[in-house]
């Protein structure tokens, strides 16, 4: 691109079946210049999700501006991580069959996280990608968990304590355990009650010999200290807190809660 044509603007859109969120980055100042989220109501099976996306683009005109780069972030629980040494692109679909139901017609993708010698294998939303091809022509895409795990690996540098992070999404949460930039565990769980959350939390800790009296637990995503999920974990896990997002807030004017909820998007 000719430097005179550069807009110094970058767009990240995080997509799921329940809605989308997006932010525009000012690449000159490395700041988030605008942000919004769009929630889809209970989806009528007669309505294609592409129509809901089209409506969002009509209502939020900043999405139709010119950008130097566009990143689409797929947010679902159809992903896993594979060490580079064990990864074979020819058998990419086989890595997911142990934790999700896969079909011959599924399209598989992977994100290479070369700094940590792992690959994220996942099923992207092909119909959504096709919509964005029509909108933008070219764009990059990756899985939300690739961004999440990469950022947490960075945070774990020189920390020899096994640390557990939980990222809350609507209907599912991810548990990540890292020790000094080594990914010990990643798994996704569906939940509906605080008791579901506590069960998976304590079961994971038991499997990795992590003592609830002393291991650090940090919570990310749509979670606050007043929630029933935080309160039930607080009764059993001594060293629990919400993830510190002060570094992230240097780049935007949004609240601590918004930075925690949109941790992946703002770190994209």
């Amino acid at each position: 691109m000719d430097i005179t044509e550069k807009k110094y603007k970058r767009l990240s859109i995080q997509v799921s079946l329940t809605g989308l969120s997006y932010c525009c980055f000012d690449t000159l100042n490395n700041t988030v210049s605008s942000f919004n989220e769009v929630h889809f109501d209970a989806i009528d099976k007669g309505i294609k999700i592409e129509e809901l996306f089209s409506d969002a683009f009509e209502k939020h005109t900043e999405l139709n501006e010119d950008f130097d780069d566009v990143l689409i972030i797929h947010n679902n629980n159809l992903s896993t991580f594979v060490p580079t040494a064990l990864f074979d692109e020819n058998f990419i679909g086989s890595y997911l069959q142990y934790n999700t139901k896969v079909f011959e017609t599924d399209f598989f993708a992977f994100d290479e996280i070369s700094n940590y010698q792992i690959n994220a294998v996942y099923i992207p939303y092909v119909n959504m990608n096709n919509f964005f091809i029509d909108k933008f022509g070219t764009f990059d895409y990756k899985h939300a968990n690739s961004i999440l795990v990469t950022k947490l690996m960075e945070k774990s540098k020189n920390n020899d304590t096994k640390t557990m992070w939980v990222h809350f999404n609507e209907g599912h949460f991810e548990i990540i355990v890292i020790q000094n930039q080594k990914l010990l565990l990643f798994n996704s769980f569906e939940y509906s009650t605080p008791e579901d959350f506590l069960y998976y939390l304590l079961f994971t800790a038991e499997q990795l010999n992590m003592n609830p009296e002393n291991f650090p637990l940090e919570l990310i995503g749509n979670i606050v200290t007043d929630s029933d999920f935080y309160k039930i974990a607080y009764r059993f896990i001594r060293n629990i807190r919400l993830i510190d997002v002060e570094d992230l807030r240097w780049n935007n004017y949004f609240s601590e809660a918004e930075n925690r909820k949109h941790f992946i998007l703002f770190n994209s």
Side-chain angles (χ1 to χ4, degrees), residues 162-176:
K162 289 181 186 176
T163 302
M164 181 184 294
W165 283 276
V166 177
H167 184 273
F168 279 86
N169 289 282
E170 186 174 342
H172 65 93
F173 62 82
E174 281 66 51
I175 295 181
I176 305 101

Side-chain angles (χ1 to χ4, degrees), residues 14-21 38-40 43 49 53 128 170:
Q14 183 165 293
V15 298
S16 73
L17 294 176
T18 58
L20 63 88
S21 55
V38 180
H39 297 284
F40 300 151
I43 297 176
I49 198 163
F53 274 62
M128 297 183 190
E170 186 174 342

